[in-house]
Amino acid sequence: GIQVEQSPPDLILQEGANSTLRCNFSDSVNNLQWFHQNPWGQLINLFYIPSGTKQNGRLSATTVATERYSLLYISSSQTTDSGVYFCAVDSGTYKYIFGTGTRLKVLA
Amino acid sequence: GAVVSQHPSRVICKSGTSVKIECRSLDFQATTMFWYRQFPKQSLMLMATSNEGSKATYEQGVEKDKFLINHASLTLSTLTVTSAHPEDSSFYICSASVRAYNEQFFGPGTRLTVL
C-alpha cells in the first residue's frame, strides 16, 4: 500500500518564526488533506489540496502530485499553532492513509 | 458548515462491558462515514468505512464482531465496542464525507478507557 512520510517529526519554534512541513507519498493520489490536531485531539481541516497551491491566512500549502509531495507553510507562528500536523492521502481506494505526523511546539 | 459531532467525548468502563459511540454530521448528509483509532503519540489508523444503508467494510486486522458499526441514516453512524478489554483503550475518531472520494470532516473524538 501507499506509504506516507512526514518531516520533520518534531519541530520547536520561537513565536513569529516561519516553518515548512513536508509530506512525501509513495504513489499517485486522488485526494490529499492537511490537518492540525490540537492538544484536545480535535482534527481541524486546514487544506484539501490534491494538487496546486492554496493559502488561508498565515498558512499555505502546495502539492506537487507528479513529484509525490506536499508542503505546508506556516508563517509568523503563534503558540496556538502548537499541536500535531498530519497529511492524509487517498490513492484511489477512497480511504485515507495518514502520515506519521509533525509535532510542533511554538514557544512564547 | 461541515460540522461532525461525537458522543460521548470520554467514557470509562469496566472490562467486559459494551460501549456505544455516536457520530453525527450536523449540517450535511454524509453518505460515507469512517472510523479511526489513535493510540498515544501515534498516527490515525482507519478501522472501517460505512456507507448509509449497507454493511461496513473493515480494514485488515479489525474484528468486525468486536467493533460493530451501524450507519442507519445519512447523519448518524455508531460504533459499538463489544466486551471491551483494557487493550481497546484508545482515542476513537469518526469522519464524514458527502461522497467517499470527497473531503473528510472529523469529529472531536471519544477517549475510551477500559479498566
Side-chain angles (χ1 to χ4, degrees):
Chain A
I2 190 168
Q3 305 295 314
V4 186
E5 294 287 334
Q6 291 183 241
S7 60
D10 296 280
L11 185 59
I12 300 175
L13 299 174
Q14 282 296 137
E15 201 168 25
N18 302 329
S19 62
T20 300
L21 281 57
R22 187 176 181 102
C23 171
N24 289 335
F25 38 94
S26 60
D27 204 349
S28 58
V29 298
N30 289 354
N31 294 305
L32 187 148
Q33 286 186 244
W34 280 99
F35 300 93
H36 173 212
Q37 187 170 38
N38 66 22
W40 297 272
Q42 170 78 62
L43 277 169
I44 299 163
N45 287 37
L46 298 178
F47 294 103
Y48 174 72
I49 188 166
S51 64
T53 297
K54 290 186 178 180
Q55 179 156 6
N56 185 1
R58 296 183 296 105
L59 303 182
S60 63
T62 295
T63 296
V64 184
T66 53
E67 296 189 21
R68 300 181 183 171
Y69 72 89
S70 183
L71 303 174
L72 177 69
Y73 306 97
I74 304 174
S75 64
S76 303
S77 58
Q78 301 174 358
T79 56
T80 51
D81 295 333
S82 296
V84 185
Y85 289 81
F86 288 106
C87 67
V89 303
D90 160 26
S91 60
T93 61
Y94 306 146
K95 302 174 187 177
Y96 270 150
I97 303 299
F98 274 73
T100 48
T102 292
R103 193 171 300 272
L104 173 64
K105 188 173 180 66
V106 181
L107 305 176
Chain B
V3 178
V4 177
S5 70
Q6 269 184 254
H7 178 80
S9 58
R10 187 181 297 266
V11 58
I12 301 172
C13 68
K14 292 183 178 180
S15 187
T17 61
S18 294
V19 174
K20 180 184 282 189
I21 302 170
E22 290 187 349
C23 176
R24 293 182 185 273
S25 57
L26 298 185
D27 52 1
F28 67 102
Q29 292 186 325
T31 58
T32 307
M33 288 184 168
F34 304 85
W35 287 94
Y36 297 82
R37 181 166 53 182
Q38 184 180 31
F39 292 108
K41 298 195 184 300
Q42 294 188 22
S43 189
L44 280 75
M45 297 294 292
L46 179 66
M47 298 175 65
T49 303
S50 74
N51 292 294
E52 186 263 340
S54 62
K55 289 185 178 181
T57 303
Y58 292 81
E59 294 302 299
Q60 192 170 11
V62 177
E63 301 175 59
K64 62 180 181 181
D65 293 331
K66 181 167 189 60
F67 298 100
L68 302 179
I69 292 172
N70 187 334
H71 192 162
S73 75
L74 286 173
T75 59
L76 174 64
S77 177
T78 60
L79 167 68
T80 302
V81 183
T82 62
S83 186
H85 291 284
E87 57 267 30
D88 298 323
S89 298
S90 189
F91 192 54
Y92 292 87
I93 309 173
C94 72
S95 72
S97 65
V98 174
R99 280 178 290 275
Y101 48 87
N102 280 163
E103 182 175 3
Q104 291 184 31
F105 300 92
F106 284 75
T110 297
R111 196 164 301 278
L112 170 64
T113 302
V114 185
L115 303 176

